[in-house]
Amino acid sequence: MRLLALGAVIWLGGCVPFQTVELDGERFEALQKRDLVGTDQRARWEKQVGQEDDWTSVLRAWVSFSMCESIGMRFSSTNDLRAEVHLVLLEFESVRREILVSDRGWSAVRGTVSDSLLQPEHWARYRQEAEHEVNWPAAREKWGDELPSEQDIIGSCQNLGKLTPKEQTERLEAVMWPALKLLVEEAQGGPLAEPLYLAVGWSLLTLERLEQDGAVLSRELDDLIEIFLKVEAPNSRSKEIAQVELNRARWAGSSAERLTFAQAALESASNESADYWYARYLVQKSRYEAGEWELLSSDAELPPRNHPVFTAMLWRTASAAKKANRPEVFLRIAMQAFEDRSPGRDPFVAALYRSVLELISEYPFDERVAEIVENLGPRNQTFARWEDLARISLDRGYPENASAIALKLLGENGDARAHARYHGILALSAFMDDDQARFVRHARQIAKRDERVLSALGTGRRASFFSGPDEEFARILRTTLPIMAEWGESNEAREMRERWLRVLVDEMQRFLRSTEESVVRPQLLELYRIASESLADHPRGYAQRLGSPASTLVIGTVRVPDSNLEVHEPKVEVSELRPFSVLMVPSDGAGNQWELLRGIP
């Protein structure tokens, strides 16, 4: 119905020559009153009687824009800056409307200023009769100097929505360049900067999307963005400005630039909007990169738990508290990431999980530590988290804590399939405490084969049934051999290494002789060869065989750095086509030549 209303014939008052008419009222009065016919007549009358200037082009552009016709930015020799800005923005809105409709249909402009302008009741499309006018029947014929008739203002909005991506790119670049030029050279810092700033920001974002879809730009997008990044943002603050500033922060190459633009977006955005939290996330990220630990650790404001940047911001805030040596603050912040949910596939929650375990591994395992571990996820995974804490305690050099956890697990977890892993933790704790008797006791518990179980199993099933304990036994050996290589070459280190190598060789011999069906037998044979060749009374005396093929040489352990979470940083999502308006309605009166159109005037 809207398009039909636009295409309907608009009746005018009759056949009247331009030279016989004196239009009353201020120049922009008809436009301010939404009188489309009066606006069109005013523009044509000014041209006919020789009073045309840049503002006449603005009036004509408004009529063309309202009827979805081509505007064509034409300027007179005076080149009034304000009129030029009006024309550029009208052309921009015209291009943007056509891109929206081409991409998503007419529903894409719903809620925009174009939607308001296309409402049949928005414009006054009939003129009351004046004394000098005569009513004539509608006709297509007209005199050359006649006031505009109905054919001149029939809308063509039904023809929109047919631009290809290539045509969209070309038209958008054509209007963006004059807008960027005006913003950089003439209008920056003045009242005209805000709508130009918004128009250029939206254009760059759309060109970025078109380029990702395969469109070819006439100039490198990075060059355009670099120019825009140097523009000073207007002083006025609004949610539209926040969106553009957020994009600038996303495009910024340095953390200092990103911080500047993100802070500006933060000042402009409402704290209930998604843009606000993305801006806050970028501010936090930039400060984290700058090493501002104390400042970040005091920032307790976090987005809703379902927001895409929640876990990233939580991880960064907690990590800053840890780096600032504030363990109690770190723990309080980090615990918010869990609340009966496991780390899953979220790398930031997983990093927090390990950081919490690393912190509490330094304290004796008591009821308080056990309670913290219980609160790190679902209750049915508590035993698995205790086991993780025990292994991290071993890795960080706290064997007594690992031993206490493993003993608690043996006493409380009735699942016998997990007991081999717990004995493995106890064996490694004994190794780190240089307690050979305890090591042998727990190693033999792992390799133990119950005769009653063996009699119930067929020979072909034994290897798979005992695969878990056997893997744990091999893991102990793979862990201890590199550690011994790091002890150095002092007399004391050589003596201790010799003692432990004999223990390991004896236990491996015992296991290999009694379990021919083990799935880890090839691994154990290789480890046995490495350990035996490292004994002082071995013919070679060191773990390297001359000739070919050479045997494995145990050098030591490899320290793996913390995970690089940059690859998992959440993508800053910015709405591509937010329907803010940059149209300006000219008005009469000195010092008030424009009015930003944010809704229906």
Side-chain angles (χ1 to χ4, degrees), residues 312-377:
M313 289 185 65
L314 189 68
W315 168 79
R316 193 167 276 110
T317 304
S319 298
K322 187 176 181 181
K323 290 178 181 292
N325 197 25
R326 302 174 66 184
E328 70 290 345
V329 177
F330 162 77
L331 201 58
R332 174 174 51 80
I333 296 171
M335 295 302 290
Q336 300 179 52
F338 305 102
E339 297 184 2
D340 289 332
R341 73 175 181 184
S342 58
R345 296 182 179 180
D346 191 316
F348 296 100
V349 178
L352 279 172
Y353 173 70
R354 181 174 180 86
S355 294
V356 170
L357 293 185
E358 287 176 349
L359 175 64
I360 62 178
S361 69
E362 302 174 4
Y363 301 95
F365 186 73
D366 54 16
E367 292 301 322
R368 173 57 182 155
V369 172
E371 181 183 355
I372 292 174
V373 177
E374 288 177 2
N375 292 331
L376 291 178

Side-chain angles (χ1 to χ4, degrees), residues 126-289:
Y126 299 89
R127 291 194 68 226
Q128 296 182 358
E129 298 178 17
E131 295 181 1
H132 54 263
E133 294 180 359
V134 178
N135 277 326
W136 294 93
R140 292 190 176 276
E141 296 81 6
K142 65 177 182 178
W143 298 99
D145 61 348
E146 180 182 333
L147 280 173
S149 60
E150 65 274 10
Q151 296 101 309
D152 299 311
I153 49 177
I154 293 177
S156 56
C157 293
Q158 62 269 23
N159 297 322
L160 293 183
K162 300 177 182 179
L163 291 182
T164 64
K166 179 181 178 182
E167 292 170 334
Q168 292 180 31
T169 303
E170 291 174 350
R171 291 198 59 186
L172 193 55
E173 281 190 296
V175 71
M176 192 207 68
W177 271 113
L180 184 58
K181 176 179 177 294
L182 286 169
L183 178 63
V184 172
E185 297 181 1
E186 300 183 69
Q188 184 169 329
L192 300 175
E194 181 180 355
L196 288 169
Y197 183 79
L198 296 175
V200 174
W202 187 92
S203 299
L204 288 172
L205 187 62
T206 305
L207 287 173
E208 183 182 51
R209 175 183 61 80
L210 289 168
E211 187 178 54
Q212 291 172 354
D213 293 341
V216 179
L217 277 62
S218 62
R219 184 167 178 175
E220 289 292 333
L221 184 61
D222 290 343
D223 294 341
L224 301 175
I225 290 175
E226 184 178 356
I227 296 172
F228 186 57
L229 289 179
K230 297 177 181 178
V231 175
E232 182 181 352
N235 294 327
S236 57
R237 293 298 174 190
S238 64
K239 62 180 181 180
E240 293 88 1
I241 293 287
Q243 182 192 14
V244 180
E245 287 294 276
L246 187 54
N247 275 319
R248 296 221 296 177
R250 184 171 62 86
W251 291 326
S254 68
S255 57
E257 280 185 326
R258 184 164 59 247
L259 178 59
T260 299
F261 300 142
Q263 284 177 322
L266 200 59
E267 293 175 16
S268 307
S270 165
N271 59 6
E272 298 177 355
S273 67
D275 290 347
Y276 174 84
W277 289 113
Y278 281 122
R280 195 169 190 85
Y281 159 71
L282 290 176
V283 168
Q284 187 191 62
K285 180 180 179 181
S286 302
R287 285 178 171 162
Y288 188 86
E289 293 169 352

